[in-house]
Amino acid sequence: MPAEQTITVRNPGTGEVLGEIEAFDAARVAAAVQAAGRGQREMGALPAHERSALLTRIAAAIEGERDNLARLLAAENGKPILQTLGEVDAAIRIFRGYAGEATRVFGRQVPLDAVPGLERHLAVTVREPLGVVAALVPFNYPVELYAHKAAAALAAGNAVLVQPPARCPLALVRIAAIVAEAGAPAGAHQLVPGGVEVSQLLAELPGIAAVSLTGSTAAGREIARRGADTLKKVLLELGGNDALIVCDDADVDAAARAVVLGRLARGNGQICCAVKRVYAQDGVHDAFVASLVDQAAKLSVGDQLLESTDVGPLIATEAAERVAVAVGRLVDDGARLVAGGGRRDAFVDPVVLVDVPARSPAFAEEIFGPVAPVARFTDPAEAVRMANESPYGLQAAVFTRDISRAFTLARQLDVGGVIVNGSTALRAENLPFGGTKDTGGYREGLHDTLLDLTRQKTIVVMDAFA
């Protein structure tokens, strides 16, 4: 692994240097793992009410710095300021939610009288911390997704090693200081900055019980392979290519608004659960496209620190270049560009494409940017088939006024979640979030993650009943 090097953090829109942090080398990662083991023993020894109080203090401190954290996140990440304010608010809710969950880590009493000859014995299960958890956090929603992983780990009594995204780590650097100031045991919460080499080490090193990754499917496969040798628990929330199906009885303006707000103007299109494929039924296709183009034209692209901005810069110029290449491939395959498509450094004008061939390889791939490709369908069963042909299965959306049709299509879609008459870009912290197939199979949420970051122990008391 290369020696330590400095990571320079820049505003993706202006190129302004915002700060620098040191990337960890192999020795510092190993030392962090050792310190985390000590911190976990202290964290695990805390009563549940003290873990809960710690998380409550962290939430309050983040809330006290809400505006500054949101501004810093917008500057380094590129998302518009109103959206980063919402992201920090979500992190506050998540820490408070896990403060409650920390006091509800329940075991069970298992009836042994179900087994002949064991009637006099008592069996209970208790849940204990896993140990040290590695949390690999992506660039698109770093504060919110960090909270899902770190707050859950601490609530369960684990230690957590957080790898922040290299391009936008600064908000998490400040939050790490907040966690320390709130009284977390030394070593129980640490940042381990760096690139792919750090991710791979965290997957490989003994002393880490679980690794949680939100990222690409390729990254997830590599982390799973590297974690296998030490039999780590590997929790993967990976890519998505979410479909939105507009049926012929849909409210087309509402469906178009869901695409605009759930794709073009949310996270600059860089969301795993954003609307990435649109299937519009023949009877409403033209009206839907007209509404979509009209609404997209009203979006403001520019400085992410202005509240009037709807779409800011992508995380880097290279990311915008990849989006432009993907759009070009769709056009080459026969799609027609009807809105947007201009690129200036890291900025991409929101794109609407129609007449997209459903069999286009580019349509099957995840485009991480503000692009809305629209394909036609004749029968809803055809739309479900096309949606299910994707290797991904995160979420999907169905627009229809027919409740029976909505539930029927929801049952048929091979995804982790279906939104009826709304955007796929919906995540509530108390819902299980995740998908099928190449999306990874894991579910992340207040109730689910806490269980995943604990282990069960069975205790049997012989002859407990006279």
Side-chain angles (χ1 to χ4, degrees):
M1 180 176 176
E4 277 187 34
Q5 56 185 334
T6 299
I7 298 173
T8 300
V9 184
R10 299 178 184 274
N11 182 317
T14 66
E16 173 193 359
V17 175
L18 302 172
E20 293 182 339
I21 64 170
E22 294 294 326
F24 275 29
D25 60 13
R28 288 190 70 181
V29 174
V33 174
Q34 287 190 337
R38 296 189 294 270
Q40 191 280 316
R41 288 189 287 276
E42 188 174 347
M43 191 74 203
L46 291 178
H49 69 85
E50 291 190 18
R51 297 198 303 273
S52 177
L54 171 63
L55 295 174
T56 299
R57 290 194 300 273
I58 293 169
I62 293 173
E63 188 170 39
E65 298 190 23
R66 170 185 181 262
D67 292 354
N68 288 338
L69 284 169
R71 188 171 183 84
L72 176 57
L73 178 58
E76 64 175 339
N77 172 276
K79 286 205 300 287
I81 183 69
L82 292 180
Q83 295 181 35
T84 58
L85 283 166
E87 180 174 349
V88 175
D89 287 341
I92 295 165
R93 291 196 309 272
I94 291 164
F95 268 94
R96 287 189 171 134
Y98 277 113
E101 291 299 307
T103 65
R104 295 189 288 269
V105 185
F106 298 126
R108 295 177 295 159
Q109 186 266 315
V110 182
L112 284 182
D113 60 355
V115 181
L118 300 183
E119 295 89 351
R120 296 178 59 188
H121 311 320
L122 172 69
V124 297
T125 66
V126 295
R127 286 197 170 271
E128 300 178 337
L130 284 180
V132 178
V133 176
L136 312 185
V137 179
F139 75 84
N140 57 342
Y141 275 77
V143 172
E144 181 175 347
L145 296 177
Y146 151 83
H148 274 290
K149 300 176 191 304
L154 296 174
N158 300 296
V160 60
L161 295 171
V162 178
Q163 184 184 12
R167 290 193 181 273
C168 52
L170 299 181
L172 292 188
V173 170
R174 177 56 202 144
I175 291 176
I178 288 173
V179 174
E181 292 161 6
H189 180 281
Q190 301 174 69
L191 293 192
V192 284
V196 65
E197 299 89 354
V198 168
S199 304
Q200 293 172 351
L201 271 174
L202 292 172
E204 292 170 350
L205 285 172
I208 296 177
V211 57
S212 176
L213 166 72
T214 299
S216 71
T217 297
R221 288 195 174 102
E222 185 65 21
I223 292 299
R225 280 193 292 267
R226 291 176 180 268
D229 285 344
T230 52
L231 299 178
K232 286 179 176 59
K233 179 177 279 192
V234 179
L235 309 173
L236 302 175
E237 199 280 288
L238 307 176
N241 197 3
D242 291 6
L244 183 144
I245 298 171
V246 186
C247 296
D248 56 9
D249 63 342
D251 180 334
V252 293
D253 290 333
R257 188 160 53 249
V259 177
V260 169
L261 299 181
R263 172 59 163 174
L264 302 180
R266 179 73 63 85
N268 304 332
Q270 300 168 121
I271 312 177
C272 58
C273 62
V275 177
K276 298 194 178 80
R277 295 175 292 154
V278 183
Y279 299 98
Q281 197 162 6
D282 289 332
V284 294
H285 175 276
D286 293 350
F288 166 77
V289 169
S291 183
L292 177 58
V293 170
D294 178 64
Q295 293 185 45
K298 297 173 183 175
L299 295 174
S300 170
V301 181
D303 184 351
Q304 69 269 32
L305 298 177
L306 298 177
E307 292 190 3
S308 58
T309 296
D310 298 305
V311 183
L314 273 63
I315 190 64
T317 297
E318 304 93 90
E321 291 171 346
R322 288 192 292 271
V323 169
V325 168
V327 171
R329 290 176 57 200
L330 285 168
V331 171
D332 290 344
D333 288 344
R336 185 162 52 91
L337 181 68
V338 293
R343 184 183 72 81
R344 299 166 304 287
D345 298 322
F347 293 90
V348 175
D349 294 331
V351 175
V352 177
L353 295 151
V354 298
D355 300 333
V356 177
R359 295 293 183 181
S360 165
F363 194 36
E365 296 173 4
E366 181 179 25
I367 302 175
F368 227 52
V371 179
V374 183
R376 287 179 179 267
F377 71 90
T378 301
D379 181 82
E382 177 189 6
V384 169
R385 177 186 58 76
M386 292 188 292
N388 285 345
E389 285 175 349
S390 170
Y392 303 104
L394 183 50
Q395 300 202 133
V398 176
F399 270 82
T400 177
R401 291 183 170 92
D402 184 334
I403 191 63
S404 177
R405 173 186 280 174
F407 274 103
T408 299
L409 298 185
R411 289 282 298 270
Q412 294 170 347
L413 286 160
D414 186 3
V415 294
V418 178
I419 315 301
V420 177
N421 294 330
S423 166
T424 60
L426 171 66
R427 180 170 187 177
E429 58 270 13
N430 61 340
L431 292 176
F433 180 82
T436 62
K437 301 181 285 188
D438 284 0
T439 298
Y442 172 51
R443 297 296 183 273
E444 194 170 63
L446 287 181
H447 314 297
D448 302 81
T449 306
L450 194 73
L451 294 180
D452 282 326
L453 296 184
T454 60
R455 62 188 175 205
Q456 290 193 83
K457 177 181 286 183
T458 300
I459 301 173
V460 179
V461 181
M462 304 299 288
D463 296 318
F465 305 108

